[in-house]
Amino acid sequence: QVSPVESGGGLVQAGGSLRLSCAASGSTFNINGIGWSRQAPGKQRELVATSSSGGTTDYADSVKGRFTISRDIAKNTVDLQMNSLNPEDTAVYYCNAQTINGGRYWGQGTQVTVSS
């Protein structure tokens, strides 16, 4: 069992920045990949950024060049630095963890609202 908890969401004006944080608890020694997804009302959940245990990162095309994922394996935390935010980034952001045996876990999410 892995329990991610997200924080750092809020209201920001277009062009601004936010930094989201995620802390995972439980059987964290089993975590392999970890990342962030988001879901806007009425929209499909979208994978935003991932980080593997080997340091490989990947980003959705919609956030490339604007978002940066950073992971601290020892502390079982992962952050998402979001710059140049626009209203299309408004969504609930979820921290996702994948365990080495294929388990998938996510938190309750944190709301990010970007005003124009």
Side-chain angles (χ1 to χ4, degrees):
Q1 178 70 33
V2 175
S3 300
V5 178
E6 305 93 340
S7 63
L11 175 64
V12 65
Q13 295 182 6
S17 299
L18 284 174
R19 188 176 184 90
L20 306 183
S21 297
C22 171
S25 62
S27 301
T28 56
F29 59 89
N30 287 324
I31 295 176
N32 187 6
I34 193 167
W36 292 88
S37 298
R38 67 185 181 185
Q39 187 167 28
K43 302 295 184 180
Q44 186 177 7
R45 190 166 175 169
E46 174 189 25
L47 183 63
V48 174
T50 59
S51 177
S52 73
S53 60
T56 301
T57 59
D58 197 12
Y59 299 90
D61 288 340
S62 59
V63 306
K64 286 182 179 178
R66 301 188 298 119
F67 290 10
T68 302
I69 187 171
S70 57
R71 179 181 182 181
D72 189 326
I73 295 177
K75 296 184 179 297
N76 299 306
T77 61
V78 60
D79 291 355
L80 185 68
Q81 178 65 47
M82 307 185 296
N83 298 326
S84 301
L85 287 163
N86 58 64
E88 289 69 38
D89 296 315
T90 296
V92 177
Y93 284 71
Y94 299 91
C95 179
N96 305 272
Q98 300 81 45
T99 57
I100 57 177
N101 63 347
R104 300 289 186 272
Y105 304 89
W106 58 90
Q108 295 300 306
T110 184
Q111 177 70 48
V112 172
T113 302
V114 184
S115 63
S116 59

